[in-house]
Amino acid sequence: MAPLSFPLSSLLKLKDCAQKANIFCNVLQGLHHRPGKSYAASVCSSSSDGQDMTDRLWSVYNETKKQTEDLLPVISTNSVNPNTIFANNEMSLRDIEIYGFDYDYTLAFYSRHLHTLIFDIARDILITNLRYPEGLRNYEYIPDFAVRGLHYDVQKALLMKIDAFHYIQLGTVYRGLHPVPDEEVIAMYEGSHVPLEIMSDFYGKSSHGHTMKQFMDIFSLPEMTLLSCVNDFFMRHNIDYEPVHLYKDVKEAIRDVHVKGIMYRAVEADIEKFICYGEQSHAVLKKLSEHGKKMFLITNSPFDFVDRGMHYIVGKDWMDLFDVVIVQADKPGFFNDRRKPFRRVTDKGALLWDRIHKLEKGKIYKQGNLYEFLRLTGWRGSKVLYFGDHIYSDLADLTLKHGWRTGAIIPELRKEIKIMNTEEYMHMMAWLQALTGLIEQMQVHRDPASQAVVNEWIREREAMRSQTKDIFNGQFGSLFRTYHNPTYFSRRLSRFADIYMASISCLLNYDFQHTFFPRRTPLQHESPFWPEHSPAGISVSSQLHRTNSD
């Protein structure tokens, strides 16, 4: 069922829930936005006695907690559908005539067996080809160790999560497989801020003086884990090593797994073990074809690998669905380098030497560049929507330089939304927000008794923030947030993707007239709700001030 095709009764129920939720949100926002002195003073103005002040602060605390708990049943009804397409920028499907796709983790979704395969092969390359210690064979891939979007300090051999403002999330810095104490992190970086000049470059790479590498694609999970495991081995055995050499060696080993075709051959030999969700991708392509949409494929993978996978996902006639197929495109260079011409490839893999004057359906092309692609197809601007999983290599240049619409495929969304829909998480976040509002308001009382109470609240808040991190991933937390702030990954996602979703199958829930609207989330200086959305007759301040008259 399409997400917006609710029956009238459901809409009325949703309206009732929304009104009740607005009451709760107004409570939270009121705590944050009410001028500090006026409200805080009204709570405690009648007494200067320390014990009386403490009692009044705890009375407000208990009243706020009770209000939060009373509205938890309403909050719990506001779950998020993981099959939703989320919008960063308004976009209508009625404007889209051409759909483009990456292959890996866009049309083809892989099981965790693939990450184990990549880790094992790269680890063995280090041992066999680069004479790394044999003891590394005792390390196996750890599926839930790392998350996408982390930064790696090449010179310090530290893996960490950084927020949208370039601040390290303390508690998420790892050397090897073990966390680095916050005090040590602050000493190394003279605080927790990472200056722009040492951050990763535009594509997340550590080059031209940048000492940070950002791991943005799903294939990078085995690489991060292998880096951490080798670092762990060297530290456990007190082996002196150069972190830069280690990073480059692991990078080259992972590259060999792909470039030398080792991974491709292994997947082709046991395709059912490694590829999943095939029927959903097929359904999307079939729906687009039936509605007369043009489609193209641009992937960095070789044709034999793509052909084998698409045979499994779609069938032997899969190329009939696509107007253009480009393999080994060398993205992101494909979007910037004008020098590489297209080259025809036969279905047997032979390269042809003739000049390409047009891109024909049913034929396979290798390399090339986007400027030539635009010239030969005329597919320009916002009538084109391209889907990919790598925010930099797939989407950034298309958004910034060419005006295509972009869709990010974020498989991790399903797991994170499932967690966010749990009562435990909803309850925790509701109280965390309310408690933060209390701290913000009551911090103005500087007497020792009041400060002791507020400091106790702050300790409770810090403990809850750690819990909200660990509930997603024990080491690094959510892909999308560092406590309250968006992650650096989230910032790039919101900038370079018009829409994002857990899988391409989410398109099946929408017709081709659908318009995606981003939420108008209030800026910090704006009122939390517009007048037409505010519940009538609710006085938040009167509820919060009741303790003064009791």
Side-chain angles (χ1 to χ4, degrees):
M1 181 179 70
L4 297 185
S5 59
F6 294 111
L8 181 58
S9 59
S10 296
L11 289 173
L12 292 173
K13 182 179 178 182
L14 286 173
K15 180 182 177 183
D16 180 58
C17 289
Q19 288 175 337
K20 292 177 181 177
N22 279 351
I23 297 172
F24 173 71
C25 291
N26 272 337
V27 171
L28 298 185
Q29 296 287 355
L31 283 168
H32 283 288
H33 293 279
R34 188 181 295 102
K37 286 285 186 181
S38 60
Y39 173 58
S42 69
V43 173
C44 304
S45 61
S46 63
S47 174
S48 59
D49 178 73
Q51 183 59 49
D52 192 30
M53 183 81 77
T54 299
D55 291 343
R56 287 175 178 271
L57 285 171
W58 281 113
S59 179
V60 174
Y61 171 96
N62 291 328
E63 177 66 14
T64 304
K65 194 163 192 176
K66 180 179 183 301
Q67 290 177 348
T68 306
E69 291 171 351
D70 288 345
L71 284 162
L72 288 178
V74 176
I75 298 168
S76 299
T77 65
N78 296 330
S79 60
V80 178
N81 184 347
N83 294 314
T84 301
I85 293 178
F86 305 94
N88 291 318
N89 191 20
E90 186 174 327
M91 189 192 80
S92 177
L93 292 181
R94 69 167 58 90
D95 299 327
I96 307 300
E97 300 173 12
I98 304 114
Y99 288 76
F101 302 91
D102 182 30
Y103 175 69
D104 297 303
Y105 286 107
T106 300
L107 293 177
F109 286 84
Y110 299 102
S111 68
R112 282 189 171 183
H113 296 297
L114 183 62
H115 292 167
T116 300
L117 175 73
I118 294 170
F119 178 93
D120 289 348
I121 296 172
R123 178 201 60 203
D124 293 347
I125 288 173
L126 290 177
I127 296 168
T128 304
N129 298 356
L130 298 174
R131 297 183 297 175
Y132 273 66
E134 187 68 28
L136 286 173
R137 292 196 198 275
N138 294 326
Y139 285 86
E140 296 181 348
Y141 179 62
I142 309 169
D144 297 317
F145 175 70
V147 298
R148 197 155 46 129
L150 300 179
H151 280 79
Y152 184 77
D153 190 320
V154 175
Q155 295 181 342
K156 294 182 174 67
L158 298 176
L159 189 64
M160 67 190 74
K161 191 165 75 169
I162 295 177
D163 74 9
F165 301 97
H166 293 197
Y167 281 90
I168 300 167
Q169 181 179 1
L170 296 177
T172 69
V173 181
Y174 274 69
R175 182 185 288 116
L177 299 174
H178 300 281
V180 179
D182 294 348
E183 300 78 16
E184 187 178 340
V185 174
I186 291 169
M188 282 189 288
Y189 291 95
E190 298 180 348
S192 58
H193 183 262
V194 180
L196 180 63
E197 60 266 21
I198 71 170
M199 285 289 287
S200 53
D201 68 10
F202 180 78
Y203 295 107
K205 298 178 180 178
S206 58
S207 58
H208 309 297
H210 301 278
T211 62
M212 290 281 190
K213 154 75 177 179
Q214 189 180 18
F215 292 100
M216 289 296 278
D217 70 336
I218 304 173
F219 279 131
S220 65
L221 292 172
E223 183 175 356
M224 286 186 275
T225 307
L226 183 57
L227 272 169
S228 299
C229 288
V230 180
N231 274 311
D232 182 75
F233 180 88
F234 285 160
M235 289 187 298
R236 283 179 179 273
H237 294 83
N238 296 314
I239 298 173
D240 189 25
Y241 68 103
E242 173 53 61
V244 174
H245 297 333
L246 169 59
Y247 167 74
K248 291 182 177 178
D249 288 347
V250 171
K251 177 182 175 183
E252 287 301 311
I254 292 288
R255 180 178 177 274
D256 284 351
V257 174
H258 294 271
V259 173
K260 292 185 177 180
I262 306 169
M263 181 195 79
Y264 300 135
R265 290 191 293 273
V267 173
E268 290 176 43
D270 196 355
I271 200 112
E272 293 184 3
K273 177 180 178 180
F274 293 106
I275 291 186
C276 46
Y277 305 136
E279 67 281 356
Q280 297 177 357
S281 295
H282 185 194
V284 171
L285 297 175
K286 184 178 178 182
K287 178 180 178 181
L288 291 170
S289 178
E290 289 172 348
H291 284 79
K293 305 296 182 181
K294 293 186 179 297
M295 288 182 281
F296 64 92
L297 178 68
I298 301 178
T299 175
N300 286 350
S301 293
F303 177 72
D304 287 347
F305 180 69
V306 175
D307 184 51
R308 181 74 177 89
M310 291 301 287
H311 264 78
Y312 177 73
I313 294 169
V314 176
K316 64 178 182 179
D317 298 326
W318 70 270
M319 287 190 61
D320 294 344
L321 295 170
F322 292 91
D323 295 272
V324 178
V325 174
I326 299 167
V327 298
Q328 293 176 278
D330 193 28
K331 296 177 293 182
F334 179 87
F335 299 127
N336 298 290
D337 190 346
R338 298 172 181 262
R339 296 169 298 176
K340 292 183 179 179
F342 285 108
R343 190 164 190 179
R344 272 279 316 281
V345 184
T346 69
D347 56 3
K348 303 297 183 183
L351 296 173
L352 304 181
W353 48 262
D354 51 319
R355 186 190 298 271
I356 304 301
H357 294 284
K358 61 179 179 178
L359 299 176
E360 301 178 63
K361 185 169 184 174
K363 295 183 178 178
I364 310 148
Y365 301 91
K366 177 182 176 181
Q367 292 182 344
N369 66 83
L370 185 65
Y371 297 93
E372 190 69 1
F373 180 89
L374 297 176
R375 185 184 70 82
L376 294 172
T377 63
W379 295 345
R380 300 177 182 273
S382 58
K383 66 181 179 181
V384 184
L385 172 58
Y386 184 79
F387 294 96
D389 69 291
H390 198 303
I391 296 171
Y392 295 149
S393 296
D394 288 325
L395 309 180
D397 289 308
L398 295 177
T399 295
L400 296 176
K401 298 179 182 179
H402 303 289
W404 283 8
R405 308 312 293 266
T406 52
I409 305 301
I410 315 291
E412 298 94 335
L413 268 174
R414 290 198 191 281
K415 176 186 174 183
E416 296 224 359
I417 290 174
K418 183 178 180 180
I419 292 171
M420 290 189 296
N421 285 342
T422 62
E423 286 192 16
E424 177 189 5
Y425 181 81
M426 289 183 179
H427 293 186
M428 193 184 304
M429 286 307 301
W431 175 233
L432 179 60
Q433 288 293 90
L435 183 59
T436 301
L438 275 180
I439 293 168
E440 183 176 6
Q441 288 296 308
M442 298 309 168
Q443 64 181 324
V444 298
H445 297 289
R446 303 303 179 189
D447 60 281
S450 298
Q451 284 295 295
V453 174
V454 172
N455 286 337
E456 188 169 340
W457 295 350
I458 290 172
R459 288 191 292 272
E460 180 183 354
R461 178 176 181 266
E462 288 304 306
M464 291 178 66
R465 277 155 58 98
S466 294
Q467 286 180 278
T468 61
K469 174 186 81 71
D470 294 344
I471 201 171
F472 290 101
N473 175 279
Q475 294 72 239
F476 302 101
S478 168
L479 174 64
F480 302 97
R481 283 201 182 273
T482 56
Y483 296 138
H484 187 76
N485 288 340
T487 59
Y488 194 84
F489 177 92
S490 287
R491 180 183 181 183
R492 309 304 262 182
L493 174 65
S494 64
R495 178 64 184 90
F496 299 138
D498 291 296
I499 56 176
Y500 64 100
M501 65 210 76
S503 75
I504 204 72
S505 65
C506 296
L507 276 174
L508 297 172
N509 298 318
Y510 301 84
D511 62 36
F512 293 111
Q513 302 300 310
H514 191 88
T515 299
F516 298 102
F517 295 97
R519 296 179 187 171
R520 186 183 174 98
T521 51
L523 301 175
Q524 294 299 308
H525 64 278
E526 293 178 327
S527 175
F529 294 98
W530 311 121
E532 64 270 21
H533 294 152
S534 297
I538 299 298
S539 174
V540 177
S541 59
S542 65
Q543 296 179 50
L544 294 174
H545 289 194
R546 280 187 300 179
T547 54
N548 294 330
S549 58
D550 288 346

